[in-house]
Amino acid sequence: MSPTPTNKKAVDTARKSAEALAHKALQARVSLVGAIGEAQASAQEILDQREVLLAKHAQELESLDAEHARAEDTIKTAYDTAISGGWTARELTDMATRRRRRRRRLVDRSRPPPKQRPRPHRPHHRITPVNSPAAPVPTTKSPASFAEQRSS
């Protein structure tokens, strides 16, 4: 049985409506996948920037290491010159030690104070024999009942 012309029109309309709904649902799902792609691209861009920054700082560190090596050579040369000028190694060491200590104190002052440890909890009332957990439990017997127990 083939669809009649009016029935065919209704079938086509229903088909187009169903396809439109399917496209709409797929579009919503596609946009969700698109968001994943955007996030991945953003993450990759950040990683690329990180690599560039690491390379730049590696070059700066190499430069600083070379400067430090030159400074160490200058110290050694100055030390040797002082020794040849009549200073003793002990005298130079004592002066350098005093100077280093002074500098360390300044560095220590620039540090933030250490975190204080929390104090242990202390109860607001003192524990006495009356309110301690091991204190005897008071009885509710009357003095007359005590007298009866003694006499019996």
Side-chain angles (χ1 to χ4, degrees):
M1 204 164 149
S2 66
T4 60
T6 56
N7 191 14
K8 184 174 179 173
K9 192 173 189 178
V11 168
D12 285 342
T13 305
R15 180 184 182 101
K16 286 181 182 178
S17 175
E19 287 176 352
L21 288 173
H23 280 293
K24 193 174 187 179
L26 284 174
Q27 189 60 35
R29 292 180 68 196
V30 166
S31 68
L32 295 175
V33 173
I36 293 171
E38 289 174 5
Q40 286 174 334
S42 177
Q44 186 60 48
E45 184 178 337
I46 291 169
L47 285 176
D48 293 344
Q49 291 173 359
R50 181 180 183 275
E51 290 297 320
V52 168
L53 190 63
L54 283 174
K56 177 184 173 187
H57 285 295
Q59 291 171 350
E60 289 176 7
L61 283 173
E62 287 175 11
S63 174
L64 287 174
D65 287 343
E67 285 181 45
H68 183 258
R70 286 191 297 274
E72 289 289 328
D73 289 342
T74 304
I75 291 170
K76 185 178 181 330
T77 303
Y79 183 84
D80 292 341
T81 304
I83 294 288
S84 64
W87 288 91
T88 65
R90 174 106 179 159
E91 291 171 327
L92 293 174
T93 303
D94 288 345
M95 284 189 292
T97 303
R98 277 190 234 123
R99 200 173 311 132
R100 236 183 269 132
R101 283 183 189 155
R102 194 175 321 131
R103 193 167 75 205
R104 280 187 192 146
R105 279 192 215 125
L106 292 175
V107 171
D108 289 343
R109 287 184 194 144
S110 66
R111 291 182 185 167
K115 292 183 180 178
Q116 294 181 355
R117 291 184 295 163
R119 295 191 330 202
H121 174 70
R122 294 186 181 163
H124 297 290
H125 62 281
R126 294 179 63 185
I127 296 179
T128 62
V130 174
N131 66 2
S132 73
V137 178
T139 61
T140 56
K141 292 184 179 180
S142 68
S145 63
F146 282 117
E148 287 176 3
Q149 281 181 346
R150 282 190 181 170
S151 62
S152 35

